[in-house]
Amino acid sequence: MTTTLKFFILIFAVIFLKCSFKSDTVFQDDKTFDNISDSLILVNYKYEVIKDYIEDTDSMSREHIDSILSENRINIVNSNVFYSPDNSFKIFTIEMESCGAYCNSDWKSWIHFNLKEKEKIKQIDFTTIDTIYKLPDHNYLIIDNSSRRPASVMTVYCETAHLISFSLDSIITHAIVKSKQENYFGFCQENGVNMEESPYIKYDADKKLLTYQYGNNYLYSQGLDIDTIRQGELKYINGQFVFEKENITVNNREKQDGEN
């Protein structure tokens, strides 16, 4: 085989791979780009997730697998790669949706780190990554989010903040709030809360301040049309977040309707 022929075969292979995986969205620095290597890894993770739902996928064609998933109302709705600001690690996430009377998602995620030396891979509990921040003390703040529909008249939106670091071959998860033991900080908000702004967790790197807002409404669970809205701040001090303040606003919508 001549050198010229080998070159054209290589070019054709690259073009084919780009076309095959162009539907996979890969994020880095808020820009979308095609990464063939990571697209291939995503495909492998997709099939690993599918094995949780279908046995003996190795003997099936892709069309057969798609047909079984469709018949059972199961679908991969998102498959992404998220990069740390310094490109020291990347997180692959697969969101699998299954539908009965209504649809809900499950997530699987893997973190690849030590990328410049001998790459390490570990499965980790993240949903859809929103933002990754590099903090002082060699720590990283990761904010993810998810949505679910536990009942036909109820949807739930969740946001969670995780604080992690790396040591040799290990990932260290830190208690994000100094006064608590949980290795995360977050909330879940049901639909029906009357708020001017959407729920959020945000981090201001200049002020080293984590702010949050979310609400709860008790009409579905307790029959009380009351909104409880929480707004708070946590300060990043010596490798941990410390509560600064939380303001709680209570709106009795039943009473307001009665007054009107």
Side-chain angles (χ1 to χ4, degrees):
M1 186 181 292
T2 65
T3 302
T4 303
L5 182 57
K6 288 180 179 178
F7 174 77
F8 280 112
I9 290 174
L10 177 61
I11 294 298
F12 175 79
V14 170
I15 294 172
F16 175 78
L17 285 171
K18 284 187 175 182
C19 292
S20 299
F21 302 110
K22 64 183 179 180
S23 61
D24 288 317
T25 304
V26 184
F27 295 97
Q28 182 176 15
D29 299 330
D30 295 326
K31 296 179 181 179
T32 302
F33 68 101
D34 291 326
N35 184 309
I36 295 174
S37 175
D38 287 342
S39 293
L40 289 171
I41 295 172
L42 274 174
V43 170
N44 289 332
Y45 281 142
K46 285 180 184 179
Y47 278 98
E48 186 170 331
V49 171
I50 287 171
K51 288 179 181 178
D52 292 341
Y53 297 84
I54 303 174
E55 296 182 359
D56 197 25
T57 56
D58 294 337
S59 63
M60 297 181 186
S61 67
R62 182 169 181 173
E63 290 75 15
H64 190 191
I65 293 172
D66 289 342
S67 176
I68 294 174
L69 293 176
S70 178
E71 288 175 3
N72 290 276
R73 302 181 67 189
I74 298 171
N75 186 37
I76 295 176
V77 293
N78 281 302
S79 58
N80 296 319
V81 188
F82 302 90
Y83 292 80
S84 66
D86 57 1
N87 291 316
S88 63
F89 66 89
K90 53 189 175 182
I91 301 170
F92 293 78
T93 65
I94 306 291
E95 180 184 355
M96 199 80 170
E97 182 185 72
S98 58
C99 299
Y102 35 89
C103 299
N104 279 296
S105 292
D106 288 310
W107 284 260
K108 277 198 172 181
S109 54
W110 296 262
I111 187 167
H112 293 225
F113 60 101
N114 201 27
L115 301 179
K116 296 181 180 179
E117 298 179 21
K118 188 177 180 181
E119 184 172 323
K120 306 296 180 184
I121 302 172
K122 292 188 181 296
Q123 194 165 346
I124 195 163
D125 187 19
F126 288 132
T127 54
T128 299
I129 306 299
D130 180 82
T131 319
I132 302 175
Y133 298 94
K134 184 178 181 181
L135 305 181
D137 310 310
H138 306 288
N139 291 337
Y140 295 87
L141 174 68
I142 301 173
I143 299 174
D144 63 1
N145 62 67
S146 63
S147 297
R148 291 182 172 85
R149 190 175 182 181
S152 59
V153 295
M154 180 190 299
T155 57
V156 177
Y157 173 76
C158 303
E159 284 201 22
T160 309
H162 311 261
L163 186 62
I164 69 169
S165 62
F166 301 91
S167 176
L168 300 176
D169 296 345
S170 301
I171 302 170
I172 302 172
T173 56
H174 303 272
I176 198 166
V177 182
K178 187 175 182 180
S179 59
K180 298 183 178 181
Q181 296 302 312
E182 293 91 345
N183 290 332
Y184 62 88
F185 170 80
F187 62 80
C188 287
Q189 175 174 311
E190 299 172 0
N191 63 305
V193 181
N194 188 9
M195 296 170 60
E196 294 183 359
E197 189 173 4
S198 299
Y200 63 79
I201 297 177
K202 299 177 182 178
Y203 181 67
D204 187 321
D206 294 329
K207 298 179 180 179
K208 297 183 180 180
L209 200 65
L210 188 73
T211 59
Y212 63 89
Q213 174 179 282
Y214 70 98
N216 291 303
N217 180 271
Y218 305 96
L219 182 61
Y220 181 82
S221 61
Q222 301 179 32
L224 301 173
D225 197 4
I226 297 174
D227 293 329
T228 302
I229 300 171
R230 290 175 167 81
Q231 294 175 306
E233 297 179 354
L234 298 90
K235 187 79 171 181
Y236 188 69
I237 302 173
N238 297 326
Q240 290 183 310
F241 284 94
V242 180
F243 267 114
E244 294 279 289
K245 64 179 181 179
E246 182 179 76
N247 297 321
I248 302 176
T249 303
V250 178
N251 297 323
N252 189 333
R253 291 158 66 176
E254 291 180 334
K255 185 176 180 179
Q256 292 172 357
D257 292 341
E259 290 175 352
N260 294 333

